[in-house]
Structures are given as structure tokens and as C-alpha cells.
Amino acid sequence: MSPVAEVRTLRVDGIDLSARADQTILDAAREHEVSIPTLCHLDGLSDVGACRLCLVEVKGVGKLLPACVTRVEEGMDVTTESDRLRKYRRMILELLFAERNHICSVCVANGHCDLQSLAQNQGLTHIEFPYRYPKLPVDASHERFVVDHNRCILCTRCVRVCDEIEGAHTWDVMGRGIESMVITDMRQPWGESDTCTSCGKCIQVCPTGALFEKGRYGAQMAKKRDFLPYLAIMREARK
Amino acid sequence: MTLDQLHHITAKESAARQNLRYQLDVCVAAGCLSSHSDRVKKSLEEVLAGREVKESYRVRGVGCMGLCSLGPLVSVEPGGALYQSVSPADTAEIVEHLDYEPLKRLQCPRDLPFFERQVNVVLENSGRIDPERIEDYVAAEGYEALIKALTEMTPAEVIEQITRSGLRGRGGAGYPTGLKWGTVAKAGSGSKYVVCNADEGDPGAFMDRSVLESDPQRVLEGMIIAGYAVGASRGYIYVRAEYPLAVTRLNAAIRQAKHLGLLGTEICNTTFDFDIDLRLGAGALVCGQATALIASIEGQRGAPRPRPPYPAQVGLFECPTLINNVETFANVPPIIRKGGDWYAGMGTKKSKGTKVFALTGKINRTGLIEVPMGMTLREIIFDIGGGVPEGRKFKAVQTGGPSGGCLPEQFLDMAVDYDSLAQAGSIMGSGGMIVMDDGSCMVDVAKFFMEFCMTESCGKCIPCRAGTAQMYNLLAKISEGAATQGDLAMLEDLCDMVKHTSLCGLGQTAPNPVLSTLRHFRDEYVAHIVEKRCPAGVCPCPAKEGGR
């Protein structure tokens, strides 16, 4: 972080604020306690702009912009809450709930789930889309961890933490579209993976109950993510 | 290679041509090959080998002549006779008629509106040169533009001509090509790349395929000129592995161009170096999106990333990258040769030049055409394409593939250009035109395209991945006559959301076929929902047309 930072001033939801030129709309908004919902974003990991929940309106720009990857610009006028944005965000969450088999009451992450709390924050009480009920496998071949694809939302946090922080790149995505799935190595069972270091970082960053530790039962799987920003700052400092 | 040497090749070619009594050109592009034109060519060679003074006959494989529905096509020079639907059994008779009147039985008239109404710029050599011989291309003024650019023009002057020509990206979005080149040229002075997007994947589209199979050198020349203009020294052609013939001919073209010193180091005795490599795509529509294409060339999963940064600033291997479509590059040599103003003299106010279209579906003359921008849909479909066969009624034309829309009869007199198509709820797209008659059900068409988008979605962003799947299920429900008005409202909500929230162009345009059919054929949706009836009798509704 250079001592001479370039500063931009912008307006977010009517609040005038300033930010460093290399910050995103999301960074700037959160520093000033304007909350924008996110799901694929996680402090300390690279951003992919995939969940589309952080889309915001910017005056003079025809399309919606993802706050997590859009850099602040001088004079930007950002709106993070509107009827239209609320509607889209609810629909995106509904699509996720209808896509696979999310049943909170029996989930190991109940009460510690990003998808669940987002749904609560957005006032989601029911799902209008028909549930797809796909038949998906559970891989419990690893001695300590389990991946339950029924609860995976394909945010790729596990893929990124494994690649960027642990450096193992055990996780990746296979298939296309609605058939996409996260896999370990070349789709070997997790327990047979040559690259997995069993560090457990993927378990901690997973927003739902898709990745969890064995021996944890309903609502027991609390996630610890404090290590991530710490690691990211220390790495930056060593550069 | 200098201009003199180039002219020497041209002179040699025309001298060889003078010694020929007859030259028989057989189309060996994918269309005619699929009806076994290779056997016709072999048979012609065998028949001619048995004649006296066989040196004075030549049988040549050439690129696409356009009229694919009447293939295999054979044309005879001099005389200009064109034969259609030729089979190996006909070749002896054709040869016998060489010295006399053309064989009436197989003759295809040259004065069809299909040929006469076209203006060929991109396709000027298609069907007229052997795509596997660089000498043929050179004899057709090939590489003159490159030498002119390298020896007489500065990079800025090249870009100026492209800008003046008004050429817009032919891949579909229509971004001004000169502006794009200018951005890449200004983006620093380090390594840069030129990428040719040949990942043509829309259903019913075969324009790029045909250009690559019929005139591959033209695309190379356009890329080399682009490399010179933007300051790049390396190019990639990202071509689908499903186009094996295009791949073979491109590889041969690159080898021959290198041999003549038109590609590689110190091109045409200047200090300019440029090399081109092929990269084969594994058949994903999403890899036609620039950022996904870049990821795929880099060896990663073919998924798009958010823009900005745009590839012009941060592209392939994080370097500034110019990405243009095959047809865009194919337009470059004639623009440099004849000047930007010449090109801007064709077309409409905001869409200059010509456009190649692939005419398919319920149309008499299926094939590949090139017309000036601004021609009406009626002229294209009824004059050039010969209208709808079997006395059926025209219903709609689908343009722009899965990102486009269906236009009904009232738009037939609309001039075709980027802006008018967009206003009517469709897009220019890459140039696929699928004509539908009254036997087509618009709900079924929308369902087909939605299924295509669903399976081609990369799965990265939620709206496209899960939204297209939900929309497909709703369309299937409507087509089965099991849907309610509520389902239709949900479908429209989903269209709006997926269009405005998806990450890349694939998702943003996936609802277009539904939106355009809803806009122009809403009564058909209502008939499926309220009366449980498919007006065209295509869908598996409980109440079939006439059987209620």
C-alpha cells in the first residue's frame, strides 16, 4: 500500500464518500457501512463476479454493475438498493434454492449458512420457482471432510482458496451449465486425491453446508474465516 | 517478398491459365463435399485423363459457390457454364459437351437473382480460387494489401482507413473495428496479440466456416495487417475442432504463407515480424465470448470474466489483445487495397459495407450469400432465396442465432442493418438466417433456442446457469399445454432478470428468442395456455389443431 494514495470521491446511496482509486465499489461501500449483499465474494480471495447479488445501479451507465469487481471512479453516483435490485436479488436467491436440494432444518450448516442468512435479510419467505430436485452424490471418502453436492451453489470459493491460498488446486469445476459440479483433482474421490493437503480451508470458506467436517451434526458446522484476510495482508506486506 | 515478386507469381499463374483449353472448377467446401463433390472431382479427373492433350484440361477444387442446396456445383471456364447437382455418373457427359453447347440437363442459370443481386467483397474469391494454393490467392490480388500497408502506410494510416471504412465487428455486436484497433494500438508498447474468433457456434450459421474453407489466406492477410496496425507480433486463430476441413486448410495456408515470406520474421523485407498459430476449441458456444476465448487459449476452463478490464487493455496472457471475427478480418484486405471510402460507399448510414448471411430453413435456395447492408429482408428471402417452398406461407425469419429473435411478416420490408434489427427486437448477430413457414410453432422455436442456451451456459453465473434451466422447463410446460397464465408471467420475469443480471453476452441475450416471439406471436403462447392447443400442430398439446 503506497503512502501516497490516489483518492476518488463518489456518492453511494446519497452518502458522499471517498475511496482509494484501486478500491471497488464494494470496498468503499462497506468501509462506510453501506451493506451490499454478496455470496461468491470473500475478503482475501480473488473476485469472479459470478453470483450477481452485488449488482448495483450507477447513474449514466445503462447496465447493472457488479460492485465486487467494479473500481470506483470520480463522481460516480451509485445506488445499492432499489425495487428492481431487490427483485433481482430475491430471484437469484430463489433460483439457487430451487436449483439443488437445500433443506435447512436437516443441514449441518443451519444457522451458519451464508445462503440462509442472505435469504433472511432479503425477506425471502417462499420459493416461487419449481424445485428441480436433482439427484446428486455425497462424497465422504476423505477421512475428515465431506462434500455434499446437494448443497453446493458453485460459488467457487473452495476452488479459489485451494488455488490461491493453499496453492494445491485440488478443487475445480467440471461440466457445463446446470450440470456443473465442483470436483477434486480429475474427479477422483476426495479421499484418493493426491494433491489435497487436508488443510480444511475449503471447509471454512464454503458458504453453505456443502463442505463440512465429519463428526459435526445438524447446525454444528460454524465457519472460521478470520485467517483469510490475515493471510492476504501478510502476503501483501511480504511482497 | 516484394510487390514485383508478387506480380511475378501472378504473371506465371495467368500464363499457365492461357495454356489451358478448359478449366473445370468443382466446389470442395463443406456443403458440396457432404453431397460427395470429392467423388465428382475424382471422376472428372479420370475422364479427362483419358483424353488426348490432357495437359490442356485442368480440374480444380475451389471454395464455396454459395448455392449449397443445388450442390455439388461444377463451373467451366471459359464459357462460364455452371452445373448443379452433379454426380460422378454425369462427368463423362459434361466433358463431352465441353466443345459444344453446355449440357442443358444439369445447367444452372447464371442470371438467377441469387447470383445477380449479391455484392461480393468477403466472398470475392470464394468459388473462384483453389483454397489450398497460395498462388491462386496471389493471382487474385492477394497480399497486395499487406505489401501496401507495410511499405507505404504507417500503422496509424492503416487504422485511419479501417475507421473511415465504417467497418463494424461482424461477430454480432457490431463494435466499430477502427475504434477497437485504435484502442489496442494505444495500449502500451509491450507484447500484444491478435486473435481471430472462429468459434462459430450458432445453429444455422456457417459463414465463417465457409470463408475459412474457401479463402483462408484472406483471413491470414487481414490478421497480419491488423498485427502491423496495433503493434502485435503474434496471432492466434481460435477455430472449432468441429471444422476439420477449415483447420486443415488454415494449417496449409499458414505453411505456404511462411514459405513465401508473408508470415514469420521480416515480412516482405521489412522489420515487421508476425506469426500465427491455431488453437482448437472443444465446441463450447461460450468460448465465442472474448474473455472465455482468452481463458480457453490460455489453457483454462472456457468461462468469461467480468469486463472491464477489456481485452484491448488486459487480454491474452494479460497483454493488450485485439479480438475480431473471421469475417471482420476478411474485410480488411479489400479495404486497404481500395481505400476506406470505397467500402463506406456501400451500405446504410450507420452500417457500412456488405454482410455475409447463411440462408437456411424453409427457403428454396439454401446457401451462402453476401449483400450490401440495407437490403430488405424481402429481397434477401424472396428474390435471392427464392421464397418459401411447397406453396407454404412465410411466417418468420430468425436472425442472430440463440442471441437473436424472430421477425414476422410486417418486418419484411425493413432494411437489414445493425440498428434496424436491434430496434425490431432481434440482432444482426453473426449472420445466420433461419426462415420459418406456417408449419413452425413459435413456442417450439423459443424452446429449441432456450434448450441450446441452457446446455451451452458455462455455469459460472447463477442467472444464466439456473435461469435458463427454469425458463426451458417453463417453455416445455407451455408447449405441452400444461402451463398457466402465472407461468407465462414467471417466464417474462425470468427473461427480464436473466437479460439484465447475467455476466456475459450468452446469458444477457439468451432470453431474446423468447422475448421476440412473445412480442410478435403472443397469441400463440396464449393458445397453448388457454386453449391447450398448438396452432401449428407441432407441440404435444392435448388439443391438436383440427382434432378438438
Side-chain angles (χ1 to χ4, degrees), chain B residues 89-251:
Chain B
D90 302 322
T91 52
E93 213 177 333
I94 289 176
V95 170
E96 272 167 35
H97 277 76
L98 278 179
D99 293 327
Y100 310 101
E101 284 272 281
L103 179 58
K104 284 275 178 299
R105 182 169 65 85
L106 294 171
Q107 201 177 10
C108 174
R110 284 271 191 187
D111 56 358
L112 285 177
F114 185 89
F115 298 111
E116 292 201 323
R117 299 296 297 273
Q118 292 197 44
V119 174
N120 290 341
V121 175
V122 170
L123 303 179
E124 62 183 350
N125 293 337
S126 277
R128 295 182 189 93
I129 65 163
D130 180 346
E132 294 179 12
R133 285 185 76 237
I134 192 169
E135 293 82 1
D136 269 37
Y137 180 65
V138 169
E141 298 181 81
Y143 285 107
E144 278 185 23
L146 175 65
I147 293 182
K148 182 178 171 191
L150 289 183
T151 56
E152 295 170 26
M153 298 165 85
T154 64
E157 283 167 356
V158 173
I159 295 174
E160 163 70 15
Q161 287 305 318
I162 299 295
T163 308
R164 285 175 82 105
S165 74
L167 177 64
R168 292 171 67 174
R170 295 291 190 248
Y175 191 80
T177 307
L179 202 59
K180 205 185 231 181
W181 288 28
T183 312
V184 180
K186 285 185 206 114
S189 55
S191 287
K192 292 178 194 175
Y193 294 96
V194 172
V195 174
C196 173
N197 184 348
D199 192 54
E200 180 176 60
D202 293 359
F206 51 92
M207 299 75 56
D208 295 349
R209 174 183 204 162
S210 194
V211 171
L212 292 174
E213 287 176 354
S214 306
D215 199 2
Q217 296 288 354
R218 159 182 298 269
V219 180
L220 299 188
E221 188 180 0
M223 284 181 73
I224 305 168
I225 294 172
Y228 173 71
V230 302
S233 56
R234 191 157 192 87
Y236 289 97
I237 303 178
Y238 188 85
V239 55
R240 307 179 68 191
E242 292 95 326
Y243 287 177
L245 189 62
V247 172
T248 312
R249 289 190 180 155
L250 276 171
N251 273 323

Side-chain angles (χ1 to χ4, degrees), chain A residues 179-192:
Chain A
E179 309 288 332
S180 303
M181 270 192 13
V182 289
I183 47 166
T184 42
D185 287 350
M186 301 303 278
R187 212 188 174 184
Q188 280 101 333
W190 195 357
E192 291 168 26

